[in-house]
Amino acid sequence: MYTDLTQRRVLLGVGGGIAAYKAPDLVRRLRERGADVRVVMTEAATAFITPLTLQAVSGRAVHQALLSAESEAAMGHIELARWAELVLIAPATADLMARLAHGHANDLLTTLCLASAAPLVLAPAMNRQMWAHPATQANAAALAARGVTLLGPAEGEQACGEVGAGRMLEPLALAEAIAARLAPAGPLGGRRVLITAGPTREPLDPVRYLTNRSSGRMGYAVARAAREAGAEVTLISGPVTLAAPAGVECLRVESAAEMAAAVRAQVAACDIFIGAAAVADYRAATPAEHKIKKQGETLTLELVRNPDILAEVAARDPRPFTVGFAAETDDLTGHAASKLRAKGLDMIAANRVGAGLGFDVAHNALLVLWPGGDRDLGEADKLTLARRLIELVGERYAAAVGAARP
Ligand code: PMT
């Protein structure tokens, strides 16, 4: 049984050494575990193996040049650096290790390594004298001290006929090591979860706004529970007084338009989207430039619809596993079921508001619906409910990903 790497994003850098001939097998080993592999070759690597071979086995265009208008238009190098969940360089030659150790950015691969926040793993491969040379050893030590993982090299017979340490680890061993490195630490390990929380504020004039009673507690609890489950969590929060949960990236916004823009900027990178925010459905058509003066006995405000962030996310193709919330004062199941259908969601968590539950209180009660099923998560404090909800999201997400796999 393989360690499941479904949808895990591995950037494979191939250096210019004879062991490059093993790169297609390595790609195959990673892909049979479900990983999405993109390959970057150094110029020297193309002397040992063709980009076409690696394109065929990875099912993706191979990246080579840093200053290429064509590659930048397809997937720019910064985008590629952000895309990677892990960067593996195999084979890592003495020259590549030296350039990495000194922070060079003189080709696409070294530039990506500098631009990426993803963990870097090297599989050194070179002649045994080159490996043993104090310069290479100093580079290896400098890289390791910086948190780079070195897998190998192995001892044995070398392509040059010598025997000693310098062989690249076999593709199977490398794939297993990468799988162990990426192995989920929890039910949502390695998944990226984007969550909205809190209210929005829709300005009427420089000092007044329309808002609602959401405190952000439910959404923040969901963010904390997702982080505890191993996910990388980004929280887009309306104005609340809560501190971001530990380990969660928090982006603060005010209005629905700002929340929508922040979600649009983040959503492509996420696996799961959870909309717990109480987004204002309407905003002032034209917020006044100056404070609105008291005049007649009545005042009419013209309001226009805000974008429906959740529906927009659910309509993307491809889209993340999309979870909405529904806050209802009556016919909880009926209203939630129709939102689930109308917005095309994978799941909706419905809460009955009022009677000490829902908005701006410590407790809530959730009934979760999805196409073809439902589960009552009961009544509890918001963190307990958030943990139950995340457990269920993990189950349904795994089922959805499993069903989508060929
Ligand atoms: O913040 P707390 O005080 O802890 O309260 C928690 C909560 C009650 C606010 C939360 O549990 C909750 O139910 N949030 C959603 C409230 C809501 O506005 O529901 P809705 O029925 O209006 O919207 C349905 C879904 O569409 C929600 O996921 C909402 O985030 C989303 N939506 C709505 C309108 C809009 N313009 N954009 C959206 O994304």
Side-chain angles (χ1 to χ4, degrees):
M1 181 67 180
Y2 295 139
T3 307
D4 186 21
L5 290 181
T6 301
Q7 292 186 1
R8 308 305 296 270
R9 303 174 303 277
V10 178
L11 187 71
L12 174 64
V14 182
I18 182 63
Y21 82 90
K22 295 181 180 174
D25 190 26
L26 177 54
V27 173
R28 193 172 64 84
R29 302 280 180 190
L30 291 167
R31 288 198 73 201
E32 68 193 4
R33 285 161 177 75
D36 187 357
V37 183
R38 289 179 189 260
V39 180
V40 177
M41 297 177 79
T42 63
E43 195 185 339
T46 61
F48 292 90
I49 181 167
T50 70
L52 195 59
T53 308
L54 288 164
Q55 180 179 309
V57 289
S58 68
R60 301 275 194 185
V62 169
H63 304 262
Q64 297 172 69
L66 176 59
L67 304 172
S68 149
E70 198 186 321
S71 330
E72 284 294 302
M75 191 185 215
H77 66 279
I78 297 295
E79 218 177 333
L80 199 53
R82 285 194 192 130
W83 172 88
E85 220 178 309
L86 181 142
V87 180
L88 166 65
I89 301 185
T93 60
D95 174 64
L96 249 177
M97 287 179 60
R99 289 191 287 133
L100 290 169
H102 292 89
H104 288 203
N106 49 4
D107 66 2
L108 179 60
L109 184 54
T110 48
T111 303
L112 284 172
C113 291
L114 278 188
S116 180
L120 178 59
V121 179
L122 305 182
M126 64 198 76
N127 163 273
R128 69 181 177 92
Q129 297 283 10
M130 291 172 82
W131 173 249
H133 195 284
T136 308
Q137 287 302 305
N139 290 334
L143 288 164
R146 225 180 276 154
V148 175
T149 303
L150 275 77
L151 298 174
E155 301 236 354
E157 198 173 327
Q158 300 203 284
C160 54
E162 297 183 13
V163 177
R167 280 173 64 92
M168 189 173 89
L169 292 190
E170 290 306 318
L172 183 58
L174 287 175
E176 278 304 320
I178 296 306
R181 176 69 187 256
L182 287 176
L188 292 184
R191 302 299 176 202
R192 297 187 191 185
V193 179
L194 183 62
I195 298 168
T196 63
T200 63
R201 271 182 195 168
E202 310 302 324
L204 298 175
D205 69 14
V207 295
R208 303 183 180 94
Y209 50 78
L210 290 175
T211 191
N212 58 63
R213 295 182 187 279
S214 169
S215 64
R217 284 196 231 183
M218 191 68 233
Y220 275 60
V222 172
R224 177 171 162 188
R227 182 72 197 111
E228 286 172 359
E232 217 177 284
V233 182
T234 303
L235 179 62
I236 298 178
S237 172
V240 298
T241 53
L242 303 172
V248 167
E249 185 189 10
C250 185
L251 309 173
R252 298 193 188 262
V253 296
E254 291 243 330
S255 64
E258 286 172 17
M259 188 173 274
V263 168
R264 284 180 201 130
Q266 299 285 329
V267 69
C270 80
D271 302 298
I272 298 171
F273 175 81
I274 304 177
V279 185
D281 288 321
Y282 294 89
R283 66 177 184 279
T286 324
E289 214 175 301
H290 301 288
K291 189 177 168 209
I292 299 170
K293 296 283 173 232
K294 202 169 19 192
Q295 282 168 342
E297 284 307 307
T298 60
L299 173 70
T300 305
L301 294 171
E302 191 191 350
L303 302 179
V304 292
R305 280 290 285 270
N306 269 329
D308 190 317
I309 302 168
L310 183 64
E312 221 180 86
V313 170
R316 289 174 66 89
D317 184 19
R319 69 172 199 184
F321 185 85
T322 308
V323 183
F325 267 76
E328 310 294 346
T329 50
D330 66 303
D331 189 12
L332 185 67
T333 315
H335 288 311
S338 64
K339 280 181 187 165
L340 178 75
R341 269 193 309 275
K343 300 197 188 196
L345 309 176
D346 293 299
M347 186 182 259
I348 195 157
N351 35 209
R352 185 185 300 285
V353 296
L357 299 173
F359 283 78
D360 201 15
V361 285
H363 281 69
N364 205 359
L366 291 181
L367 170 69
V368 184
L369 310 178
W370 61 90
D374 61 74
R375 192 176 298 173
D376 192 338
L377 299 185
E379 183 183 324
D381 64 90
K382 286 180 176 171
L383 183 57
T384 302
L385 275 179
R387 288 179 176 140
R388 290 179 194 159
L389 176 66
I390 285 297
E391 194 184 331
L392 181 56
V393 167
E395 277 172 35
R396 301 297 317 155
Y397 173 74
V401 168
R405 242 174 118 172

